[in-house]
mmCIF file of all heavy atoms in Angstrom:
data_model
loop_
_atom_site.group_PDB
_atom_site.id
_atom_site.type_symbol
_atom_site.label_atom_id
_atom_site.label_comp_id
_atom_site.label_asym_id
_atom_site.label_seq_id
_atom_site.Cartn_x
_atom_site.Cartn_y
_atom_site.Cartn_z
ATOM 1 N N ASN A 69 9.494 9.698 -5.416
ATOM 2 C CA ASN A 69 8.640 9.039 -4.613
ATOM 3 C C ASN A 69 9.110 9.114 -3.157
ATOM 4 O O ASN A 69 10.189 8.686 -2.815
ATOM 5 C CB ASN A 69 8.453 7.546 -5.061
ATOM 6 C CG ASN A 69 7.297 6.881 -4.493
ATOM 7 O OD1 ASN A 69 6.546 7.426 -3.663
ATOM 8 N ND2 ASN A 69 7.065 5.693 -4.945
ATOM 9 N N LEU A 70 8.193 9.639 -2.291
ATOM 10 C CA LEU A 70 8.625 9.771 -0.887
ATOM 11 C C LEU A 70 8.690 8.501 -0.145
ATOM 12 O O LEU A 70 9.255 8.378 0.917
ATOM 13 C CB LEU A 70 7.711 10.779 -0.124
ATOM 14 C CG LEU A 70 7.828 12.163 -0.681
ATOM 15 C CD1 LEU A 70 6.601 13.072 -0.028
ATOM 16 C CD2 LEU A 70 9.072 12.820 -0.444
ATOM 17 N N ILE A 71 7.990 7.341 -0.690
ATOM 18 C CA ILE A 71 7.901 6.154 -0.012
ATOM 19 C C ILE A 71 8.910 5.154 -0.743
ATOM 20 O O ILE A 71 9.067 5.272 -1.930
ATOM 21 C CB ILE A 71 6.537 5.587 0.147
ATOM 22 C CG1 ILE A 71 5.876 5.404 -1.219
ATOM 23 C CG2 ILE A 71 5.792 6.366 1.071
ATOM 24 C CD1 ILE A 71 4.690 4.538 -1.153
ATOM 25 N N LYS A 72 9.414 4.275 -0.036
ATOM 26 C CA LYS A 72 10.288 3.301 -0.575
ATOM 27 C C LYS A 72 9.491 1.965 -0.968
ATOM 28 O O LYS A 72 8.467 1.636 -0.341
ATOM 29 C CB LYS A 72 11.324 2.871 0.349
ATOM 30 C CG LYS A 72 12.308 3.997 0.814
ATOM 31 C CD LYS A 72 13.371 3.380 1.805
ATOM 32 C CE LYS A 72 14.239 4.654 2.200
ATOM 33 N NZ LYS A 72 15.083 4.283 3.165
ATOM 34 N N ASN A 73 9.856 1.367 -2.191
ATOM 35 C CA ASN A 73 9.286 0.128 -2.626
ATOM 36 C C ASN A 73 7.896 0.349 -3.014
ATOM 37 O O ASN A 73 6.910 -0.545 -2.895
ATOM 38 C CB ASN A 73 9.445 -1.018 -1.695
ATOM 39 C CG ASN A 73 9.112 -2.358 -2.263
ATOM 40 O OD1 ASN A 73 9.430 -2.520 -3.506
ATOM 41 N ND2 ASN A 73 8.755 -3.326 -1.498
ATOM 42 N N GLY A 74 7.457 1.461 -3.709
ATOM 43 C CA GLY A 74 6.174 1.689 -4.026
ATOM 44 C C GLY A 74 5.790 0.894 -5.255
ATOM 45 O O GLY A 74 4.520 0.745 -5.485
ATOM 46 N N ASP A 75 6.675 0.259 -5.911
ATOM 47 C CA ASP A 75 6.342 -0.694 -6.968
ATOM 48 C C ASP A 75 6.345 -2.096 -6.587
ATOM 49 O O ASP A 75 6.133 -2.983 -7.455
ATOM 50 C CB ASP A 75 7.374 -0.452 -8.071
ATOM 51 C CG ASP A 75 8.814 -0.758 -7.690
ATOM 52 O OD1 ASP A 75 9.102 -1.135 -6.611
ATOM 53 O OD2 ASP A 75 9.637 -0.611 -8.571
ATOM 54 N N PHE A 76 6.647 -2.383 -5.332
ATOM 55 C CA PHE A 76 6.579 -3.683 -4.658
ATOM 56 C C PHE A 76 7.610 -4.707 -5.323
ATOM 57 O O PHE A 76 7.551 -5.923 -5.235
ATOM 58 C CB PHE A 76 5.244 -4.301 -4.820
ATOM 59 C CG PHE A 76 4.180 -3.414 -4.227
ATOM 60 C CD1 PHE A 76 3.229 -2.732 -4.952
ATOM 61 C CD2 PHE A 76 4.162 -3.237 -2.794
ATOM 62 C CE1 PHE A 76 2.246 -1.937 -4.531
ATOM 63 C CE2 PHE A 76 3.253 -2.237 -2.326
ATOM 64 C CZ PHE A 76 2.324 -1.674 -3.156
ATOM 65 N N SER A 77 8.623 -4.143 -5.993
ATOM 66 C CA SER A 77 9.646 -4.990 -6.649
ATOM 67 C C SER A 77 10.486 -5.720 -5.599
ATOM 68 O O SER A 77 11.068 -6.735 -5.891
ATOM 69 C CB SER A 77 10.563 -4.154 -7.592
ATOM 70 O OG SER A 77 11.209 -3.153 -6.817
ATOM 71 N N ASP A 78 10.536 -5.165 -4.394
ATOM 72 C CA ASP A 78 11.198 -5.859 -3.231
ATOM 73 C C ASP A 78 10.178 -6.611 -2.398
ATOM 74 O O ASP A 78 10.363 -6.688 -1.153
ATOM 75 C CB ASP A 78 11.965 -4.833 -2.414
ATOM 76 C CG ASP A 78 13.193 -4.407 -3.179
ATOM 77 O OD1 ASP A 78 13.814 -5.163 -4.053
ATOM 78 O OD2 ASP A 78 13.635 -3.275 -2.977
ATOM 79 N N GLY A 79 9.087 -7.008 -2.985
ATOM 80 C CA GLY A 79 8.123 -7.811 -2.170
ATOM 81 C C GLY A 79 7.425 -6.898 -1.125
ATOM 82 O O GLY A 79 7.093 -5.709 -1.582
ATOM 83 N N THR A 80 7.236 -7.277 0.043
ATOM 84 C CA THR A 80 6.603 -6.440 1.077
ATOM 85 C C THR A 80 7.650 -5.584 1.880
ATOM 86 O O THR A 80 7.196 -5.031 2.929
ATOM 87 C CB THR A 80 5.796 -7.327 2.015
ATOM 88 O OG1 THR A 80 6.707 -8.323 2.628
ATOM 89 C CG2 THR A 80 4.634 -8.120 1.336
ATOM 90 N N SER A 81 8.782 -5.544 1.424
ATOM 91 C CA SER A 81 9.823 -4.699 2.033
ATOM 92 C C SER A 81 9.271 -3.356 2.214
ATOM 93 O O SER A 81 8.805 -2.722 1.201
ATOM 94 C CB SER A 81 11.132 -4.725 1.321
ATOM 95 O OG SER A 81 12.112 -3.940 1.894
ATOM 96 N N ASN A 82 9.415 -2.584 3.338
ATOM 97 C CA ASN A 82 8.982 -1.261 3.613
ATOM 98 C C ASN A 82 7.404 -1.147 3.672
ATOM 99 O O ASN A 82 6.868 -0.128 3.729
ATOM 100 C CB ASN A 82 9.495 -0.269 2.586
ATOM 101 C CG ASN A 82 10.924 0.009 2.811
ATOM 102 O OD1 ASN A 82 11.351 0.448 3.961
ATOM 103 N ND2 ASN A 82 11.737 -0.351 1.860
ATOM 104 N N TRP A 83 6.685 -2.297 3.670
ATOM 105 C CA TRP A 83 5.224 -2.322 3.755
ATOM 106 C C TRP A 83 4.802 -3.221 4.982
ATOM 107 O O TRP A 83 5.500 -4.305 5.089
ATOM 108 C CB TRP A 83 4.565 -2.766 2.492
ATOM 109 C CG TRP A 83 4.738 -1.850 1.442
ATOM 110 C CD1 TRP A 83 5.718 -1.780 0.494
ATOM 111 C CD2 TRP A 83 3.820 -0.819 1.098
ATOM 112 N NE1 TRP A 83 5.487 -0.743 -0.384
ATOM 113 C CE2 TRP A 83 4.244 -0.099 -0.010
ATOM 114 C CE3 TRP A 83 2.641 -0.248 1.727
ATOM 115 C CZ2 TRP A 83 3.717 1.006 -0.567
ATOM 116 C CZ3 TRP A 83 1.966 0.843 1.169
ATOM 117 C CH2 TRP A 83 2.585 1.419 -0.043
#
Side-chain angles (χ1 to χ4, degrees):
N69 196 353
L70 296 173
I71 59 171
K72 295 179 182 173
N73 196 29
D75 62 359
F76 308 108
S77 60
D78 290 330
T80 58
S81 175
N82 291 299
W83 291 90

